[in-house]
Amino acid sequence: MDIEEIRDMTDQQIRERLDELREERFRLKFRAATMELENPRLLSHLRRDIARVRTVQRERELAAALAMTEENAS
């Protein structure tokens, strides 16, 4: 998943995608504990995708907070 794809998503889509990624990571971790994974790198890819989504989410939170601060200062 590319960072630009995530930035093009709405806040609701980002929350849904984050939930999907977390669920998928949980399932993969469970499978990894019980048997060998076909592609063990999937876990690291999922972790990075989750980090990208959370980064964009945090960027938006900070931008909204900054806008509120600037609005209140005016």
Side-chain angles (χ1 to χ4, degrees), residues 24-35 37 43:
E24 190 175 347
R25 184 183 66 174
F26 172 78
R27 280 189 256 119
L28 269 178
K29 283 176 71 173
F30 189 77
R31 269 198 292 167
T34 58
M35 62 184 179
L37 293 176
L43 276 172

Side-chain angles (χ1 to χ4, degrees), residues 36-70:
E36 189 174 332
L37 293 176
E38 296 170 12
N39 186 356
R41 300 222 18 127
L42 282 177
L43 276 172
S44 63
H45 289 296
L46 277 174
R47 278 198 320 269
R48 287 188 181 118
D49 284 345
I50 290 170
R52 285 184 191 107
V53 171
R54 293 191 69 210
T55 298
V56 171
Q57 202 173 34
R58 183 66 178 151
E59 285 174 352
R60 290 183 182 186
E61 289 172 6
L62 292 174
L66 181 63
M68 291 279 288
T69 304
E70 289 176 352

Side-chain angles (χ1 to χ4, degrees), residues 8-24:
D8 291 339
M9 293 180 177
T10 65
D11 290 341
Q12 179 64 29
Q13 289 172 325
I14 287 176
R15 282 191 296 274
E16 290 170 1
R17 183 65 181 149
L18 186 58
D19 290 341
E20 291 169 6
L21 289 169
R22 285 179 173 161
E23 179 69 27
E24 190 175 347

